[in-house]
Amino acid sequence: MKIRCAQIEVIPGNPKENYETCKRFVNEAKKDAMDLIVFPELCIPGYLIGDMWEDVSFLKDCEFYGRMLAKLSTSKLSIIFGNVLVDWNMKYEDGRVVKLNCGFVAKNKKIMYRPNKLKLPYIKTLQPNYREFDEKRYFMDSKEYYLRKKENVFKNFDPFIIDSMKIGLSICEDGWDKDYSMSPLSIEKDLGADILINVSCSPFTVNKNVSRDRTFSNKAKELKTTILYVNSVGIQNNGKNVFMFDGSSIVYNKDGRRCVGLNSFVEGSLNVDIYKTGLIGFYIRNFIFNEENEVKQIHDALIYGIQKYMKQSNLKKVVIGSSGGIDSAVVSALYAKAIGKENVYLVNMPSIFNSATTISLSRQLAENIGCYYAEASISNSVELTLNELDDKTFYNGKISDTISLSQFNTENIQARDRSSRILSAIASSLPGGVFTCNGNKSELTVGYCTLYGDLSGFLATIADLWKHQVYELGRYLNSNKEIIPCKIFTIVPSAELSEDQDIENGKGDPIKYWYHDYLFKSWVEKWNRSTPEDILVQYKKGTLETFLGMKEGRVKGYFKSNKNFIEDLEKWWNLFKNMSVAKRVQSPPILVVSRRSFGFDFREAMNINYLSRKYYRTKEWLLKHEDKNEQN
């Protein structure tokens, strides 16, 4: 059987356009005399579409275009594709109609059903309900559905049969069965499947391909069966997080060997000829599995995400506040590479606190990129605001109250003036223009950013990168040619909003990134996220650096005493759990590259800052045993 795996770009919420894409690939498969073409999971409706899943008119269109796609099949070419199945006669207790995430098989212009009285396609069994995944909100799984139908799917179903080949179909999470009580792939094999096909809509995160490869390679070897993994490309979002879908479709032989595959972030197809024994007859050698380093993965994903997000939103030009620091420099270089330097506008907005060094670096960055550049001082406008508001008196009819602006207030006024006034004004004057948020994940974790100021923007491009990752990405961008001036890598990171942040005197941000990056990461990205209790326990044992995954010796070298360590820990934890939550709720959408991004991926509530009983006991012990040599 000649099989084509179609790695297509799926447009979320647009069944008509997705059908047209499938149609184009089907016509090409017919010309090439293929026997079967396989499309990804939910390739008709898209995957991340929010509560659009509840729109009846949308669901009916999905059904319509699914039938249209099935009609493109012939007696010679069969089609497998993902779509929603609506059981209009079955409802949840709340009155919503039941929907099923299904894999459909079509041949000779008709939908094929498994040999069973229910006449159904393949229904997804394992539904992810973690991170950004929320399938149980919208779909019923096969176990519950068949229970309601009083049918035992695992006894009465046979695999789909196409040209005498028995096809074991599965959908995305069905292949990731390690921590589940059942294995859909194993069941399909036990039912007599000659080959196994997994259709997916699986988003990119760093090193995701390593875990995918391990999962499906081991399963092919375990079941001694060829596995075809077919994934989509494109971007989809849940409102707060923008996910890049990398495709990386691949075929494994029955010994678990990678045979043929497609590269990441490209639309295309791969062909494979499989015998009934599950052995692969011939394959196109157009794929070399490459465990690329993390910074290259991040670079490629961000470039792809920027391009797709700008196109999807019909945006043309971007305005970037260029501070002379690493964050804005990396963002500038990324956008110039993604959408062209002619569409990038850099603006340096100095106040009385900005150094000649950072202003010069901003100019040099723009020259290196070859993009548009301008300077717009905020000194006069900030002074105007201070004159208007400092010592301002308020009356309530009986008594008065006078406010005074602190240094902290003055810093925020500067940040807001840059974004809310200058950047937004320039962006609005450009056709299809927007301005960016340049904040990184370290800053977002503890709220080291200003509401309506540097937290503003149409997209938080690097907000899923820790500060040390931003530096690594900057070096990668400079690997062939110096785009980011070398001095930007060596100056002290600073917001330059007061004399206390004077980089000429070595003053800068209060976050010590070489330590706090790893501390904050443990609160956010660990599967079992750490709390101050875990941090203190590891600190007491002397194993904190290993626990955080950082170089040894840094913690002892930085903190002079147990008290100093505890004060620092509580300071940042309080910021992380308090006002920072409100800031994150109001932040722009984030391009996701990590296993846990702020937004709908990392879900949080504005609650009290809770510390456990064991934390307080450990804290008490450490303060009593102040000499670090007494720690055990």
Side-chain angles (χ1 to χ4, degrees), residues 390-407:
D390 198 23
D391 296 326
K392 193 74 171 179
T393 301
F394 289 77
Y395 296 93
N396 69 356
K398 295 180 180 180
I399 59 175
S400 63
D401 186 25
T402 301
I403 64 166
S404 296
L405 298 178
S406 65
Q407 176 181 307

Side-chain angles (χ1 to χ4, degrees), residues 8-10 232-236 243-247 265 304 308:
I8 67 169
E9 179 178 353
V10 175
S232 58
V233 295
I235 62 169
Q236 302 190 40
F243 296 92
M244 287 76 78
F245 289 76
D246 58 313
F265 304 118
Y304 184 78
K308 291 297 180 181

Side-chain angles (χ1 to χ4, degrees), residues 87-290:
D87 188 331
W88 299 102
N89 298 315
M90 183 184 293
K91 294 186 177 180
Y92 291 102
E93 289 77 6
D94 61 8
R96 290 179 301 129
V97 67
V98 168
K99 297 170 290 295
L100 307 164
N101 183 347
C102 291
F104 289 83
V105 180
K107 184 178 179 65
N108 204 15
K109 303 186 184 303
K110 295 181 180 180
I111 297 289
M112 295 176 61
Y113 299 109
R114 305 190 83 161
N116 182 276
K117 65 182 181 182
L118 292 180
K119 294 186 177 180
L120 290 167
Y122 178 86
I123 302 173
K124 189 172 184 178
T125 299
L126 306 182
Q127 294 186 332
N129 198 35
Y130 52 85
R131 290 199 60 206
E132 73 274 15
F133 304 112
D134 203 12
E135 287 197 29
K136 292 184 179 180
R137 179 181 177 90
Y138 304 110
F139 300 114
M140 182 178 287
D141 65 52
S142 65
K143 299 188 299 295
E144 182 179 352
Y145 186 73
Y146 293 126
L147 183 62
R148 291 198 182 196
K149 290 288 189 178
K150 299 180 180 179
E151 184 69 33
N152 190 332
V153 56
F154 308 118
K155 287 185 178 179
N156 298 337
F157 274 6
D158 291 323
F160 292 99
I161 301 176
I162 301 176
D163 298 342
S164 77
M165 181 82 76
K166 292 182 179 180
I167 308 292
L169 192 55
S170 64
I171 301 177
C172 205
E173 190 82 355
D174 289 340
W176 300 76
D177 56 25
K178 181 180 178 182
D179 297 318
Y180 289 92
S181 60
M182 63 182 300
S183 172
L185 286 180
S186 299
I187 292 171
E188 292 292 319
K189 172 62 177 177
D190 291 342
L191 290 172
D194 298 315
I195 63 171
L196 299 172
I197 296 176
N198 182 272
V199 294
S200 286
C201 191
S202 178
F204 165 87
T205 54
V206 172
N207 290 328
K208 182 75 168 283
N209 268 339
V210 176
S211 57
R212 279 184 193 144
D213 179 63
R214 181 173 58 248
T215 296
F216 287 98
S217 175
N218 289 343
K219 187 61 73 172
K221 189 183 304 181
E222 173 194 335
L223 300 178
K224 297 180 175 57
T225 307
T226 294
I227 295 180
L228 286 70
Y229 171 82
V230 184
N231 192 23
S232 58
V233 295
I235 62 169
Q236 302 190 40
N237 72 85
N238 55 26
K240 291 295 291 183
N241 306 98
V242 179
F243 296 92
M244 287 76 78
F245 289 76
D246 58 313
S248 303
S249 302
I250 190 168
V251 178
Y252 294 92
N253 212 333
K254 60 195 306 181
D255 59 2
R257 179 169 55 94
R258 311 176 200 106
C259 294
V260 57
L262 284 166
N263 293 326
S264 302
F265 304 118
V266 293
E267 188 175 68
S269 59
L270 62 86
N271 303 331
V272 62
D273 194 355
I274 302 179
Y275 296 106
K276 194 175 184 211
T277 59
L279 292 175
I280 294 179
F282 69 88
Y283 49 88
I284 300 172
R285 298 177 182 273
N286 66 342
F287 175 79
I288 299 175
F289 185 80
N290 182 19

Side-chain angles (χ1 to χ4, degrees), residues 3-28:
I3 303 176
R4 172 162 294 176
C5 301
Q7 181 170 290
I8 67 169
E9 179 178 353
V10 175
I11 308 301
N14 196 332
K16 182 179 185 300
E17 186 168 346
N18 292 329
Y19 162 74
E20 293 294 340
T21 300
C22 292
K23 181 179 179 180
R24 172 165 52 88
F25 274 77
V26 167
N27 288 337
E28 291 172 358

Side-chain angles (χ1 to χ4, degrees), residues 577-578 581-582 585 604-608:
K577 284 294 185 178
N578 291 327
V581 181
V585 168
E604 52 190 337
M606 290 178 278
N607 296 328
I608 62 170

Side-chain angles (χ1 to χ4, degrees), residues 295-546:
V295 68
K296 184 182 187 307
Q297 293 179 52
I298 291 170
H299 168 270
D300 293 351
L302 292 180
I303 293 294
Y304 184 78
I306 290 169
Q307 292 171 336
K308 291 297 180 181
Y309 193 81
M310 293 285 286
K311 181 179 179 180
Q312 175 183 286
S313 305
N314 197 30
L315 301 173
K316 307 296 182 185
K317 301 179 183 297
V318 65
V319 182
I320 302 171
S322 177
S323 67
I326 189 65
D327 294 330
S328 60
V330 165
V331 171
S332 300
L334 286 172
Y335 276 90
K337 198 169 184 179
I339 64 173
K341 61 186 180 181
E342 68 278 5
N343 295 310
V344 176
Y345 294 70
L346 302 192
V347 189
N348 182 261
M349 299 164 283
S351 72
I352 60 173
F353 303 113
N354 288 87
S355 66
T357 297
T358 54
I359 296 173
S360 174
L361 289 172
S362 288
R363 292 174 188 156
Q364 188 180 341
L365 173 68
E367 290 175 5
N368 291 354
I369 292 174
C371 63
Y372 292 104
Y373 176 77
E375 292 171 11
S377 173
I378 63 170
S379 297
N380 292 338
S381 57
V382 170
E383 190 66 27
L384 176 64
T385 302
L386 293 174
N387 290 336
E388 284 286 333
L389 298 181
D390 198 23
D391 296 326
K392 193 74 171 179
T393 301
F394 289 77
Y395 296 93
N396 69 356
K398 295 180 180 180
I399 59 175
S400 63
D401 186 25
T402 301
I403 64 166
S404 296
L405 298 178
S406 65
Q407 176 181 307
F408 177 73
N409 301 141
T410 303
E411 292 176 11
N412 284 342
I413 288 170
Q414 294 173 74
R416 292 190 181 104
D417 193 68
R418 286 173 172 140
S419 295
S420 298
R421 186 175 69 88
I422 295 179
L423 294 180
S424 61
I426 296 173
S428 66
S429 70
L430 297 170
V434 285
F435 71 95
T436 65
C437 171
N438 300 334
N440 59 61
K441 197 168 189 175
S442 309
E443 296 167 341
L444 198 57
T445 300
V446 291
Y448 189 58
C449 46
T450 304
L451 274 174
Y452 321 122
D454 54 327
L455 191 62
S456 303
F458 86 107
L459 184 66
T461 311
I462 60 170
D464 203 20
L465 298 183
W466 304 103
K467 188 76 168 186
H468 69 274
Q469 290 179 302
V470 179
Y471 278 106
E472 290 169 5
L473 181 54
R475 294 186 186 96
Y476 182 82
L477 287 163
N478 273 9
S479 56
N480 295 322
K481 175 185 176 183
E482 182 181 304
I483 301 299
I484 300 172
C486 290
K487 193 168 184 178
I488 287 180
F489 293 92
T490 59
I491 60 172
V492 178
S494 175
E496 291 192 296
L497 294 172
S498 71
E499 292 179 353
D500 294 336
Q501 299 171 341
D502 183 0
I503 67 164
E504 305 293 4
N505 292 310
K507 300 177 181 179
D509 296 344
I511 305 174
K512 306 304 178 187
Y513 296 105
W514 50 263
Y515 163 66
H516 289 122
D517 265 9
Y518 298 93
L519 175 67
F520 300 164
K521 184 178 181 179
S522 75
W523 298 346
V524 178
E525 291 187 14
K526 276 182 174 287
W527 192 251
N528 295 310
R529 295 189 293 277
S530 64
T531 66
E533 174 189 311
D534 304 306
I535 301 301
L536 273 197
V537 168
Q538 295 294 330
Y539 175 76
K540 179 184 174 184
K541 291 179 179 178
T543 55
L544 180 59
E545 289 148 336
T546 301

